[in-house]
Amino acid sequence: MTGAPQRQFLKFQAVPATARPARRFVADTLRAQGATSDEIVDIALVASELVSNIIEHGDGLELSLAVNATADAWELSVVGGRCRPDSLVLTPDKWNVARADESSGRGLGIVRQLMDDISVDTSAGTVSVSCRRRRAPS
């Protein structure tokens, strides 16, 4: 990839009923920016898991995604939803894939497995998760 970073946004005025539109947006954006098929599958899954978390535990208000392509990494940002100050969502180093018989917790562990760097922040109670994954060698 050459030139300036490419950042694409998708903003929902209300949280969608499913994560499908977000996953499709991320996959289409990555495909257009030259991601490998593995990168597309993995990062779209990450977007799906983060958006599903907002659908399940959020406040139903707006949700936004950003995909940024740099020369050496893919960056994904998902903003929306709220959580308690003691919520696991705010502590990425505790994100683990839950056992199959557990009712929740699988998604955040999957995010941690597939991305190289994760940061979580809140602003006025709204959660912002930013993830980064190194690009596959050309």
Side-chain angles (χ1 to χ4, degrees), residues 3-40:
Q6 300 173 7
R7 190 170 181 93
Q8 299 291 326
F9 293 92
L10 176 63
K11 187 170 190 174
F12 294 93
Q13 295 305 316
V15 174
T18 73
R20 266 189 226 107
R23 187 175 183 142
R24 188 170 36 252
F25 163 76
V26 170
D28 290 348
T29 300
L30 292 170
R31 192 173 296 108
Q33 295 178 355
T36 67
S37 58
D38 286 344
E39 290 169 331
I40 293 167

Side-chain angles (χ1 to χ4, degrees), residues 19-61:
R20 266 189 226 107
R23 187 175 183 142
R24 188 170 36 252
F25 163 76
V26 170
D28 290 348
T29 300
L30 292 170
R31 192 173 296 108
Q33 295 178 355
T36 67
S37 58
D38 286 344
E39 290 169 331
I40 293 167
V41 168
D42 289 352
I43 299 170
L45 176 59
V46 166
S48 181
E49 294 298 338
L50 291 173
V51 169
S52 293
N53 192 60
I54 292 170
I55 291 168
E56 180 77 20
H57 304 292
D59 54 16
L61 300 178

Side-chain angles (χ1 to χ4, degrees), residues 106-133:
R106 299 188 65 76
L108 294 177
I110 290 167
V111 171
R112 187 168 176 211
Q113 282 186 341
L114 296 176
M115 302 303 280
D116 296 317
D117 301 301
I118 303 166
S119 64
V120 181
D121 198 7
T122 58
S123 176
T126 300
V127 178
S128 173
V129 179
S130 297
C131 307
R132 185 174 186 277
R133 176 170 164 159

